[in-house]
Amino acid sequence: MQECRHVAIIMDGNGRWAKAKGLPRTAGHKAGADNVRTIAIAANDLGVKYLTLYAFSTENWKRSKDEVGYLMKLPAYLFGRYMKEFLQRGYRIRMLGELDVLPPATEKVLRDAEEESKNNTGLSLNICMNYGSQREITLAANAYAKDVAEGKAKLGIDEAGFEQYLMTKDFPPVDLLIRTSGEERISNYLLWQIAYAELEFIPEAWPDFTPDVMKRCIEEYHHRNRRFGGLTNE
Ligand code: FPP
């Protein structure tokens, strides 16, 4: 059976979930943060080794000041409440995105989570904060050009060489990308890394994405015939 090592999720629909319940959007984000713990455990139980979650995109700054402020406080809520458990379970927390422009307190919480868990070898729980794929690729191109200019790299690198400049250099390619809440877009997420990923767009909002739904998504993945451009997956 083809492995499902790396799952990436666009956690969409928090706002609509809250609105449908007559709650403020922030209540949806909070329920979404709690669900990160639930789904990390479910993913790990299902054999996933890398779980990469889109928490805040480079485009999310366009939201209201209040909502951005709330989203910036969520890492402190998530890790304050669950970090001990993540460590006990052996999860390694890693960040993708430009953290240095986040509010200093947010940046610290994120870097501390990385630092505290850096020796763990279990599930790699990767949180994308202030992440955008076009930005990631642009930064990689600049870093490579700089290395060439300084004589540290040669012209003409191949794909594997270029990957070393991406924020995901330590991760395998994405096997399965899931987007919750009905939208069928990629929204500047892991454009390089999903080159051969299976895509699943599902109706449930992120706070309603239960372990059973996760299981269903992985089962669907196992029914797909991944050919990677060839004729069979044998
Ligand atoms: C998209 O739903 C969701 C976000 C922009 C935020 C995602 C954040 C979480 C799920 C919390 C996790 C937090 C951490 C720190 C890991 P939306 O607000 O766009 O929903 P809508 O489309 O219904 O308005």
Side-chain angles (χ1 to χ4, degrees):
M1 194 159 60
Q2 58 198 355
E3 256 197 297
C4 194
R5 269 205 302 171
H6 189 170
V7 176
I9 306 183
I10 302 175
M11 307 181 289
D12 198 8
N14 294 343
R16 277 164 285 170
W17 179 90
K19 194 172 172 215
K21 291 183 151 36
L23 298 169
R25 291 178 58 80
T26 49
H29 294 315
K30 190 171 181 204
D34 287 319
N35 208 31
V36 167
R37 172 209 171 243
T38 306
I39 294 307
I41 295 168
N44 187 54
D45 289 348
L46 289 160
V48 172
K49 307 285 183 230
Y50 299 83
L51 180 65
T52 304
L53 303 175
Y54 210 0
F56 191 90
S57 76
T58 46
E59 287 72 36
N60 285 150
W61 296 106
K62 293 179 200 151
R63 296 189 176 202
S64 76
K65 204 167 156 254
D66 282 356
E67 186 165 342
V68 169
Y70 189 85
L71 289 168
M72 289 299 143
K73 291 201 182 98
L74 271 183
Y77 170 73
L78 176 74
F79 294 119
R81 190 157 185 199
Y82 302 118
M83 189 64 190
K84 213 172 140 196
E85 184 183 355
F86 291 156
L87 290 173
Q88 277 164 357
R89 291 180 181 273
Y91 298 172
R92 179 163 179 194
I93 314 294
R94 287 190 266 198
M95 301 299 152
L96 286 84
E98 290 174 278
L99 303 188
D100 51 354
V101 294
L102 298 175
T106 309
E107 182 185 359
K108 180 170 181 341
V109 167
L110 298 172
R111 294 208 193 277
D112 285 354
E114 272 190 320
E115 182 61 25
E116 279 178 60
S117 65
K118 70 177 181 200
N119 294 320
N120 281 351
T121 55
L123 175 77
S124 181
L125 177 57
N126 314 313
I127 308 287
C128 302
M129 273 308 275
N130 193 30
Y131 172 85
S133 190
Q134 292 179 341
R135 179 77 184 143
E136 178 192 25
I137 293 168
T138 304
L139 287 171
N142 277 298
Y144 172 56
K146 186 164 179 283
D147 278 356
V148 171
E150 293 174 358
K152 294 181 191 152
K154 291 210 167 89
L155 270 181
I157 47 169
D158 60 10
E159 290 86 334
F162 190 71
E163 275 169 7
Q164 295 310 307
Y165 290 93
L166 295 174
M167 294 169 182
T168 51
K169 65 179 162 54
D170 298 324
F171 309 151
V174 174
D175 295 306
L176 170 61
L177 172 72
I178 301 167
R179 182 173 188 143
T180 61
S181 206
E183 311 289 343
E184 301 191 358
R185 285 190 295 278
I186 303 299
S187 300
N188 200 14
Y189 194 41
L190 301 171
L191 300 176
W192 175 286
Q193 297 84 351
I194 61 168
Y196 283 101
E198 294 296 324
L199 309 181
E200 294 187 27
F201 300 100
I202 64 163
E204 289 85 351
W206 172 248
D208 287 333
F209 185 89
T210 60
D212 275 349
V213 180
M214 178 83 191
K215 190 160 172 261
R216 192 188 76 206
C217 289
I218 303 249
E219 280 166 5
E220 162 70 21
Y221 168 87
H222 286 308
H223 284 108
R224 304 273 179 96
N225 181 9
R226 300 185 78 194
R227 292 191 295 273
F228 300 94
L231 293 178
T232 86
N233 64 352
E234 295 303 309

